Structures are given as C-alpha cells and as structure tokens.
Amino acid sequence: MLIGLIALVNVASAQKITITGVLKDSLGSPLEMANVVAVNQETKSLDGFGITDPNGKYKVSVNQNSTYSLKFSYIGFQPKELLIKTLEEDLQRDIILAEQAQSLDEVEVVYEMPVVVKGDTIVYNTDSFVTGTEKKLEDVLSKLPGVEINDDGEIEVEGKTVTKVMVDGKDFFDGDSKLAAKNIPANALDKIEVLRNYSEVSQLKGVTNNQDNVALNIKLKSGKEKFWFGEITAGLGLDSRYLAHPKLFFYSPKYSINILTDLNNIGQLPFTSRDYRNFTGGFRSRTGNTGTSFNVGDGGLGLSQLQNNRAKEIETRFGAVNFSYAPTEKLDLSGFAIYSYANTDLQTVATRTYISSNQQEVTTTGTEQTSNLGLLKLSAAYKPNTNVQVEYDVLAKFSDENEDVGILSVADVTDQIFENKQQTPSSLNQNANVYYTIDEKNILAVEAQYLIQNEDPFYNAIREIQPFESILPLNEDQANYNINQDRKIKTNKFDFKTDYYFITGAKSNINFTLGTTQSSQKFNSNIFQILDNESTLAFTEDDLVNDVEYKFSDIFVGFHYKLIVGKFTFNPGFKVHDYTAKNTQLATSVTDDLFNVVPDLFVNLQLKQSESIRFNYTVNRQFSDIDKFSRAYIFSNYNSMYQGNRDLESALFHNLSLNFFSFSMFNMQNIFATVNYSKRVDAFKNNSAIVGINQVSSTINSNLEDEVLSGSANFQRTFGKIKVSSRGSLSYSNLNNIVNGSPSTSESLTQSYRASLATSFRDAPNVEVGYNYALNNYDNGGNSSTYYTDTPFLKVDAAFLKSFIFLADLDYYHYRDKANTIDNEYGNLDTSLSYQKEDSKWEYSVEVTNLLNNTELNQDSFNELFYRTSSYVVQPRYVMFKIKYDL
C-alpha cells in the first residue's frame, strides 16, 4: 500500500510546476501573510494558492502548459493581477503592491480565497479543502492546515485545544468542541474562522495572556436572514440492531436553536460519563491561576470506564437542546439542556501481580452499568457599551448511576464476589462576572462562583470469604458476607476574585488581585452487614462510622507586572495566601493555619507572527477535600479500604513548562513541541498495608519528593495534495510511596509515536496510511515489566460513479511484553458504502462495524502496589442499513 501511495504521489506531482517570487510594498518592505491565488483561465477553477512568509516570499503549484491569472492581494493595498502562461519549467515573478484605503473584503466578492489571514484570525474557505466525501464538521477540520481532531474527539488548532466553538457567532453548547465536531453537518459549512489569542472579554484582551486560547466560529452557507437545516438518519441491522439520529438547526440574527438526538444499540456514544464530568458549561476563570489547588470531589465510586468507547454491549439514548436569544443588541440570553442514558455491558479478564506479596490474582469480571446523566444551563450577558460587560450563569448537573458487577477472583483462594454501586450526585453552580473599563488606564474585573453539591455513593459487596477480618466485626454465621456502606457528602463552596489592571504604557500594565475561596463540607458514612434473615447488623465503632465537618478558607492578594520588550513578553508576579483548614470529628478539631507566598512567571518570545517560544513557571499549594480527612474506613472496592488522615497537611507543586510553536501558511507547515516538569514537595503519599491481595491505604505527608517529566512534539506539513504528519510523546515519573511500612519507589516510562501520510485528491481515491508504536516500561523497587504495542493503520476514502462513497478504517494491533508471556494480534475494520444522487436529499448506506469480528482489546497499567494486564471484550461484527434525509 505504501508503494502504491508513493506512486500515486509521483503521478499527481509529475505535471506540476512552481511559481515563486517576493511580494513587497512600494518602499521595498516585504508583505507577510499576503494572499496569492492562481485561477485557471480555461476551467475558471482555483488551481493553487499561497500565503507569503515573513520575507514576503510566495509559492504556488500549478499545472504545466496552462494559462493562469495570478492574483495578489493584501489588506490596505491595491490588488494586482498577472496573466501567466506556464510551460514545463518553474517560474519566478516578484510583485510590488501600492497602498490604498480600500479593504480586502471588497475584493473577496470577485473570487473566494482559500485562506485569508486578518491579524489573529485565519479564515478557511472550506470548499477549497474538502474532497466531497465529508459527513461531519470533524471530517472537514481534519483537512485544514494546522487543525486536528485528537483521540478524545476534541478539536486542536496549531497544537492547542479549542476552548470555544461558535456557529455564526453564537455559542454551540457553550463551546463544547466534541459535540460540535461530531454533529454539525459538513454540507452546511461555508467558512471556518480560527480566532487565535481569543478572549471572551474584549477589555481584557490586551492585559491578559491569551496565547493558548483558540476559538472557532463556523460560518454557515445560507445567506438568508432566517434559515434552518439538519438531517434525519435511521438504520436497522442484523441481530436487532437499530439507530435513529435526527438533528435540527435554526439560525437567525436574533435567535438560534440546535436540537440533537441519538438512539442506538451499536456502540456509538454521543455523550459519555467522561464527557459529563469534564463538561464545564463555560465555567472557566478568565483572569488566571490563583496559586491554590482545591477541588471538591464529584461523588465518584470508581465506576468502570470504557476503553476506546467500546464495550461488550452498549445501548444509548441522547437528547440535547441549545438556544440563544438576543432581545436587544445589549442583551444575550442562552442555555442548553442535555440528557444521556446508557446501558452498558462490560467483560474483562485481568491479571494483577502484587509487588510486595508477589501474589498473583486473576479476575474475570462481568459488569452491567446503567447511567442517566443530565445538565441544564441558563446564561445572560449584558453589554450596554464597550466599557461594561455583565454575565450570569447557572449550571445544574445531576446523574443516577447504577453498576452491578460479578467477579471471580482466583488467587491463593477463589472467591465469587458480587458488587453493587449506586450514586445520584447533583450540583448547582452559579457564576457572576462584571468587567468594567473605568477609563483608558484602569480596568476592573470581578468574578464570583457559588457551588452547592450533594453526593450519596452507596456500595454493596456479597462475598463467600470474609474480608478484612481485623477491621470488620462481621457475623460469621452466615451463608455469605453481605457488606454495605452508605455515604453522604454535602458541599458549599464560594470563590471570589477581583482584578484591577492599571495600564502603565502602551506595552505594560500592573495587575492587583484580591480573592478568597470559602468551603464547607459535611461527610457521613457507616458500614453495616445484612444477615441471612434480612436483619441489619450496624457497626458503631469509631473506625467504621464517619461524622466529619471540614472547613477550608483561602484569602489571597496578588501582584503581577506585564511588559512587552521587542519580541519578549514578561509577566512575573506572586500571590500571598492565608490558609485555614479545619476538620471536626469525634468531638475534637484539628486546625491547620498556613501563610504562604507563591511566585509565578510567564515569558513569551514572539519570533514571528505565527512562531513563538513560551515559558511558564507556577507554584501551587494543594489541599485535599473532606474525603482524605475522614478517619473511619471506607470501601474503595472488594479488596481495598481507605482510612483518612485528620492530620494531613497541604502539598506544594513546582510546575515548569516550555512550549515551541511554529505555523507557516507559506509551506503549510505546523510544528509544536512542549516539555513539562513537575516536582512535588511535602507531597501526598499513599501509605498502604497489603496482605495477599487485600490492601488498606491512607494518605500522609512526606518529604520524599516526586518528579514527573513529560514531553511531546508534532510535525505536520502539506506537499500539494499530500499531508505528512508525525507526533511523539514521552512521560517519565518517579513516585514515592509507603508500602507495608517501607518506602517504595515507582518509576514509569511511557512512549508513544505516530507517523502518517494522507492524500486529499478531488478526483481520485484518498488514503491515509500510518503507524503507531507504544512502549510502556514500569519499575517498582527493581521489579520491572515492559509492554509493546504496534498499530499500523489504513483509512480509505473513495468517491466513484458520481454518487457512491466508500469508506474503510483499519487498525491492526500487535500487543506483547518483554517477558514473552503475552503475544496477541488482532485487528479492527469498519467499512461503509453510501449512495446519494447529485442534488438529492436522500442518502442510502450500508455500514459494517468490526468487519474482522475482533473480540477483545488489551491494556496494561501500573501503580505502587501491582502491575495489571487485561483483555477487554468488545462488540461483535454489526451490519447496518441506513437512510439519511437532509432537511
């Protein structure tokens, strides 16, 4: 296949020549980011385009023996047109543009530029990059220079995760990039605007560091004032498989509405539990880090997670509505509601090797999981003038999750275990922000959040063998041991921060910060046994009943100075914190008072308009929430218990990062690299006692320092119709813990590398061929283990006979370990064949999922207690017939 691809590249490029030159103004200064297009005079098609580099150099690839109109344009200059007859040799033409008052926008009506650069905004004309087989926004984005979809389904631009997605200037589900990428139809797109250095608050754009903030604005094709579009997809398959996926979108200047629905039992997950927990709803601080890390829990019981969004069986229902309404030019109202239901069956065979006891446990686990997830948000933004912006948001999250697990554990003894986990956590988060520009030298920003959260995780385990004999006073005269634990956690948390910016010059400002975090939590838990006669045996010992109250207070002030000198931006500063952490239990209180100063430094070297080096250094003081202070035992799972430490103190983190970023429109090249280093002082350490396969853990402070070093690099370049991509990542960690009273050092080195070639022909089949390689090396006190995964992959995208599209996606895995105890090979192939007549609203398709009928995935993991390898069962082959109607 690789040889065929190379041959295809050679054929495609054999009939091309290159036109180069330099674009300057009348004074001889080079014009960077100017547009050059080559329009074929015979076909009137756009055969090539280019963007000038910082030296004004341009490069355009066109066909031999053709006549072209070469058009040059730059904002604020008169456009120029040059008629060129190409032969069989490369050409050079230098151009001088004269200044004018006319804007580029008036020129664009004559012809569509593939790419237009306006300051920090890049505008892509999507028709110039697509090949006609794209279905969703993510398919289009993957064709654009510098844009990628990462493994989590999120959009990345020039190596940075997109923080906001808008459609015609209106937030799409508060900017969630995954929902946008997976649901917006490709045929509705006109242009995609990449907004770099993005700030939602215009007043703060010049005084805050926005280099990592990227937003997308999707421009739709319809030029009408009011229009709607969408699609309805339905499918039936063998073995009672089904799919229904209606979507409706309506846009007008004053209001918009988006409706997404999805019902299927073929494993297509529109919204996962991970998406739910990561969904911020736009609640992001806009004025920087406070220097404190304090996050309250989310009621998690450690429910089983999917691997690659796959499982043995998945049935899902999803519905979401997003709206925006502007009753006046000064007021914007918006909101969304999301509901997701999933019923999932998982099956895993895993082997754990416990390091300290040298005990091996083999588990066969079957899990049935049901989850109901809901989110509701309402927002209001009021902007009476350019100097004032007021915002209010309220976000409600609720869930109802249940998991039944059957485990066969084979170790020194064999035990059949049944677990049930239930939780219905809920939260209400309110956010109010005010931004006020007092005058040209003074800006005030006030942000406040108030969180109310309730958690109620319930755990039940039924075992044949009595666990934790020294801890649990179980009644032994029972057929089985039916053990239960009930927990209740209530949280109230208030965050407030105000920033005052004093503009000291055109390239400098001073920032004063005053803020606080106030949190109050209550935690109750108890363990009890249900006897054979269904009566309850409650345990009242102090070590088995929690009744804890925890209060946390952080009051801080800060100072920062931002200065731009030449190509450098310096932003040093510090924050002074006054902390109080108090836990009350067993009729006594333990209070931890701390006064702390934490510095930070941001430096940016702007080498070119789209090339920079950034350095960031922060010091964070980390505090735990109430879970780690509660001294009575709680269950983690059937063979693990946790006991909190009421004398636990805070930990200190030193974090350094160095980033290099380079994006060139001249040669369609995108390079970024990052190195991160973290050192933990007085870190939280796991103090674990392990007997056989049963473990009891706690958390302590220790002067044993942890270090984590990670790095990644990405290179992407387009040569005509060929895109070359490569990326690599490496992570090394050296962590210290206490196991059975002795210090234990855990080291891990994980590496991942990927390389690929992809074509983007309009009139020929397109392929992407590549290779992934992963190496995981774990070492704990001299006990080491190494795992390798080779994954060649191939994607085929072919349109033929005008109305047919064939898609195929193949991944082939070779998973093995250095000790030669594991050696598995398996593949996954998804294919589809669709038919849609030109200008028809109907599309018919046949899809086959897991054509090779692969049955499992492999995974390995490591911690201070054990190594784990697993075989994870995935859904079998599915054949589905689908019909889609474009509204």
Side-chain angles (χ1 to χ4, degrees):
M1 176 58 69
L2 183 58
I3 295 175
L5 179 61
I6 294 173
L8 189 62
V9 173
N10 290 333
V11 171
S13 60
Q15 306 300 317
K16 293 284 187 178
I17 69 160
T18 302
I19 303 174
T20 60
V22 176
L23 200 62
K24 299 180 180 180
D25 63 14
S26 57
L27 300 178
S29 301
L31 299 176
E32 181 184 3
M33 294 293 181
N35 293 280
V36 184
V37 297
V39 179
N40 191 303
Q41 292 301 283
E42 181 179 352
T43 64
K44 300 301 179 182
S45 64
L46 186 68
D47 282 4
F49 73 95
I51 306 290
T52 57
D53 70 2
N55 298 315
K57 186 177 179 180
Y58 71 89
K59 179 174 61 177
V60 180
S61 295
V62 295
N63 297 324
Q64 295 179 359
N65 302 313
S66 301
T67 302
Y68 286 96
S69 171
L70 215 59
K71 302 182 179 184
F72 304 86
S73 58
Y74 189 73
I75 296 176
F77 287 76
Q78 295 179 13
K80 179 171 285 190
E81 184 174 346
L82 189 66
L83 200 65
I84 292 181
K85 171 71 174 179
T86 64
L87 299 175
E88 297 181 359
E89 296 180 353
D90 292 342
L91 300 173
Q92 181 173 349
R93 296 289 187 272
D94 294 336
I95 302 297
I96 295 177
L97 296 185
E99 292 189 37
Q100 68 163 20
Q102 188 180 17
S103 70
L104 178 62
D105 290 338
E106 298 177 37
V107 181
E108 287 184 58
V109 298
V110 179
Y111 55 90
E112 287 286 355
M113 299 293 299
V115 183
V116 176
V117 180
K118 302 177 182 179
D120 287 333
T121 301
I122 302 176
V123 183
Y124 294 97
N125 176 36
T126 58
D127 287 343
S128 301
F129 296 92
V130 298
T131 60
T133 61
E134 298 79 12
K135 303 295 183 183
K136 301 291 182 289
L137 171 62
E138 62 181 349
D139 301 325
V140 177
L141 292 174
S142 63
K143 304 290 179 66
L144 304 182
V147 184
E148 292 185 347
I149 305 296
N150 65 24
D151 293 337
D152 295 325
E154 298 173 322
I155 303 170
E156 290 185 353
V157 173
E158 301 168 4
K160 306 164 190 173
T161 301
V162 170
T163 57
K164 178 178 283 293
V165 175
M166 297 171 285
V167 178
D168 277 352
K170 304 178 188 299
D171 285 2
F172 188 84
F173 286 94
D174 264 340
D176 182 77
S177 65
K178 183 177 178 180
L179 280 179
K182 296 289 184 182
N183 287 282
I184 297 178
N187 58 13
L189 307 179
D190 181 27
K191 294 180 176 61
I192 295 177
E193 298 178 342
V194 175
L195 311 176
R196 300 179 294 181
N197 301 320
Y198 181 73
S199 175
E200 293 185 77
V201 183
S202 57
Q203 296 105 304
L204 302 183
K205 184 176 178 64
V207 295
T208 55
N209 298 316
N210 306 302
Q211 285 81 0
D212 289 328
N213 295 342
V214 180
L216 289 186
N217 183 37
I218 311 300
K219 303 290 286 186
L220 301 174
K221 280 187 175 179
S222 177
K224 302 174 185 177
E225 183 176 349
K226 297 180 180 180
F227 64 101
W228 59 272
F229 63 97
E231 61 185 37
I232 298 175
T233 304
L236 290 175
L238 305 179
D239 303 319
S240 302
R241 301 298 167 183
Y242 64 86
L243 177 145
H245 191 23
K247 295 182 291 187
L248 180 66
F249 307 87
F250 178 83
Y251 282 86
S252 73
K254 280 198 169 184
Y255 58 91
S256 68
I257 186 166
N258 305 291
I259 301 175
L260 310 176
T261 61
D262 194 313
L263 296 87
N264 74 82
N265 63 352
I266 60 173
Q268 293 186 3
L269 284 166
F271 199 72
T272 67
S273 296
R274 178 181 178 180
D275 296 332
Y276 168 79
R277 290 180 173 83
N278 292 340
F279 205 95
T280 63
F283 280 75
R284 301 183 183 94
S285 175
R286 296 170 180 161
T287 51
N289 197 319
T290 67
T292 301
S293 176
F294 174 73
N295 298 309
V296 297
D298 60 359
L301 263 170
L303 299 185
S304 303
Q305 297 294 310
L306 303 181
Q307 291 185 24
N308 296 343
N309 285 341
R310 300 178 186 174
K312 182 179 179 181
E313 190 79 22
I314 306 176
E315 180 180 359
T316 184
R317 303 166 198 161
F318 172 78
V321 178
N322 176 66
F323 81 92
S324 66
Y325 174 54
T328 69
E329 293 183 357
K330 300 177 181 179
L331 179 63
D332 281 300
L333 305 175
S334 63
F336 63 78
I338 298 175
Y339 171 74
S340 175
Y341 164 86
N343 181 263
T344 308
D345 290 337
L346 305 99
Q347 184 174 322
T348 306
V349 177
T351 300
R352 294 187 186 93
T353 301
Y354 291 83
I355 298 166
S356 63
S357 64
N358 201 30
Q359 177 73 60
Q360 190 173 84
E361 179 191 20
V362 179
T363 59
T364 302
T365 305
T367 303
E368 181 180 1
Q369 187 180 104
T370 303
S371 66
N372 292 273
L373 310 173
L375 300 100
L376 177 66
K377 184 184 178 187
L378 298 174
S379 302
Y382 178 63
K383 193 171 184 179
N385 52 60
T386 58
N387 295 327
V388 178
Q389 183 168 328
V390 182
E391 303 172 341
Y392 174 76
D393 310 280
V394 56
L395 173 67
K397 300 176 71 172
F398 56 89
S399 66
D400 184 352
E401 298 174 282
N402 183 84
E403 181 173 285
D404 292 309
V405 186
I407 305 168
L408 177 62
S409 170
V410 180
D412 54 344
V413 296
T414 299
D415 194 1
Q416 182 68 56
I417 306 159
F418 296 95
E419 288 184 317
N420 174 257
K421 301 176 182 180
Q422 302 175 29
Q423 58 188 29
T424 58
S426 62
S427 67
L428 184 70
N429 201 347
Q430 298 179 80
N431 184 58
N433 304 319
V434 178
Y435 306 96
Y436 177 46
T437 301
I438 303 171
D439 53 41
E440 61 181 13
K441 289 185 175 294
N442 299 276
I443 302 173
L444 187 66
V446 180
E447 299 178 337
Q449 275 191 42
Y450 183 60
L451 170 69
I452 302 173
Q453 182 170 280
N454 291 292
E455 308 159 47
D456 60 348
F458 178 80
Y459 177 79
N460 167 245
I462 300 175
R463 302 190 57 170
E464 295 177 348
I465 297 175
Q466 179 178 358
F468 305 106
E469 295 183 17
S470 61
I471 297 175
L472 300 175
L474 298 173
N475 186 324
E476 300 181 14
D477 298 325
Q478 307 295 312
N480 292 292
Y481 296 97
N482 189 332
I483 309 166
N484 303 266
Q485 180 174 265
D486 193 23
R487 286 189 274 168
K488 303 284 190 220
I489 308 168
K490 294 184 177 182
T491 301
N492 287 269
K493 181 170 176 277
F494 174 69
D495 293 280
F496 174 84
K497 183 157 70 79
T498 181
D499 284 278
Y500 167 67
Y501 297 91
F502 176 62
I503 312 301
T504 56
K507 296 184 178 182
S508 63
N509 66 78
I510 297 174
N511 169 218
F512 297 95
T513 303
L514 172 66
T516 185
T517 295
Q518 301 291 324
S519 175
S520 175
Q521 293 182 288
K522 293 183 178 181
F523 176 42
N524 296 280
S525 75
N526 62 291
I527 300 174
F528 58 93
Q529 180 183 5
I530 297 179
L531 306 179
D532 291 347
N533 60 8
E534 298 186 357
S535 62
T536 298
L537 175 61
F539 305 133
T540 58
E541 292 82 353
D542 289 343
D543 283 346
L544 301 177
V545 178
N546 276 304
D547 186 2
V548 188
E549 184 174 347
Y550 177 59
K551 293 185 177 180
F552 173 79
S553 172
D554 173 23
I555 301 173
F556 60 91
V557 295
F559 172 83
H560 288 81
Y561 178 61
K562 182 177 180 180
L563 175 66
I564 300 176
V565 180
K567 295 183 177 182
F568 283 92
T569 299
F570 298 95
N571 194 190
F574 64 89
K575 290 187 176 69
V576 181
H577 292 264
D578 183 25
Y579 298 107
T580 299
K582 177 181 179 182
N583 72 86
T584 301
Q585 49 191 314
L586 300 176
T588 61
S589 298
V590 175
T591 302
D592 181 18
D593 292 316
L594 178 65
F595 184 82
N596 192 46
V597 179
V598 290
D600 59 83
L601 172 65
F602 173 83
V603 179
N604 182 68
L605 172 58
Q606 197 70 39
L607 300 171
K608 300 175 184 177
Q609 183 173 347
S610 294
E611 185 173 282
S612 65
I613 299 175
R614 299 190 307 278
F615 172 78
N616 201 22
Y617 169 67
T618 61
V619 179
N620 280 344
R621 177 68 64 174
Q622 183 183 20
F623 289 83
S624 173
D625 70 345
I626 197 168
D627 282 344
K628 286 185 170 59
F629 289 97
S630 306
R631 67 176 305 277
Y633 290 99
I634 58 175
F635 272 97
S636 301
N637 56 50
Y638 69 92
N639 70 340
S640 177
M641 298 190 77
Y642 180 82
Q643 184 179 31
N645 176 9
R646 64 181 310 187
D647 297 315
L648 190 65
E649 298 177 350
S650 61
L652 196 65
F653 283 66
H654 293 267
N655 302 293
L656 298 92
S657 66
L658 184 65
N659 299 276
F660 171 75
F661 155 70
S662 176
F663 179 66
S664 173
M665 275 291 183
F666 171 71
N667 52 19
M668 297 300 172
Q669 179 175 281
N670 182 33
I671 302 174
F672 64 86
T674 180
V675 177
N676 299 289
Y677 174 74
S678 175
K679 185 174 184 179
R680 308 175 188 177
V681 183
D682 295 327
F684 297 143
K685 302 294 182 184
N686 286 333
N687 183 10
S688 303
I690 185 166
V691 178
I693 65 170
N694 293 318
Q695 61 195 41
V696 178
S697 301
S698 185
T699 302
I700 63 171
N701 292 103
S702 172
N703 57 5
L704 298 173
E705 297 179 349
D706 293 340
E707 294 179 292
V708 177
L709 176 65
S710 63
S712 63
N714 183 293
F715 172 83
Q716 183 186 102
R717 183 165 178 175
T718 300
F719 300 89
K721 299 296 184 180
I722 309 299
K723 182 168 72 174
V724 179
S725 301
S726 64
R727 66 168 59 187
S729 63
L730 182 148
S731 179
Y732 169 78
S733 66
N734 187 334
L735 308 178
N736 296 277
N737 293 283
I738 311 297
V739 180
N740 289 342
S742 301
S744 173
T745 300
S746 304
E747 291 185 90
S748 72
L749 176 63
T750 61
Q751 303 173 63
S752 176
Y753 305 97
R754 174 188 175 97
S756 67
L757 290 173
T759 67
S760 57
F761 301 117
R762 282 186 177 271
D763 302 316
N766 288 298
V767 298
E768 181 181 6
V769 59
Y771 183 79
N772 284 325
Y773 177 72
L775 188 155
N776 298 334
N777 182 263
Y778 310 121
D779 186 286
N780 192 314
N783 296 304
S784 63
S785 184
T786 304
Y787 303 91
Y788 311 91
T789 305
D790 300 275
T791 314
F793 62 90
L794 173 67
K795 297 180 180 180
V796 178
D797 179 343
F800 59 98
L801 299 179
K802 295 185 178 180
S803 302
F804 288 90
I805 296 175
F806 173 75
L807 304 175
D809 189 348
L810 171 66
D811 296 284
Y812 185 80
Y813 298 86
H814 183 196
Y815 177 78
R816 62 201 187 281
D817 68 347
K818 188 176 182 180
N820 294 321
T821 60
I822 301 173
D823 196 334
N824 293 337
E825 296 186 47
Y826 52 92
N828 185 77
L829 174 60
D830 297 334
T831 63
S832 70
L833 178 64
S834 61
Y835 171 80
Q836 185 172 19
K837 194 174 181 179
E838 189 176 359
D839 298 327
S840 173
K841 293 181 176 292
W842 294 94
E843 179 186 270
Y844 308 92
S845 62
V846 177
E847 294 185 359
V848 183
T849 303
N850 192 9
L851 180 61
L852 302 179
N853 208 24
N854 171 50
T855 59
E856 63 181 27
L857 296 173
N858 292 115
Q859 192 177 51
D860 56 78
S861 61
F862 163 82
N863 60 34
E864 74 276 7
L865 300 177
F866 56 77
Y867 305 102
R868 182 181 185 271
T869 61
S870 65
S871 173
Y872 180 85
V873 176
V874 298
Q875 288 179 298
R877 179 192 301 122
Y878 291 153
V879 180
M880 173 76 65
F881 175 72
K882 293 170 56 177
I883 300 176
K884 185 185 77 170
Y885 179 74
D886 294 325
L887 300 173

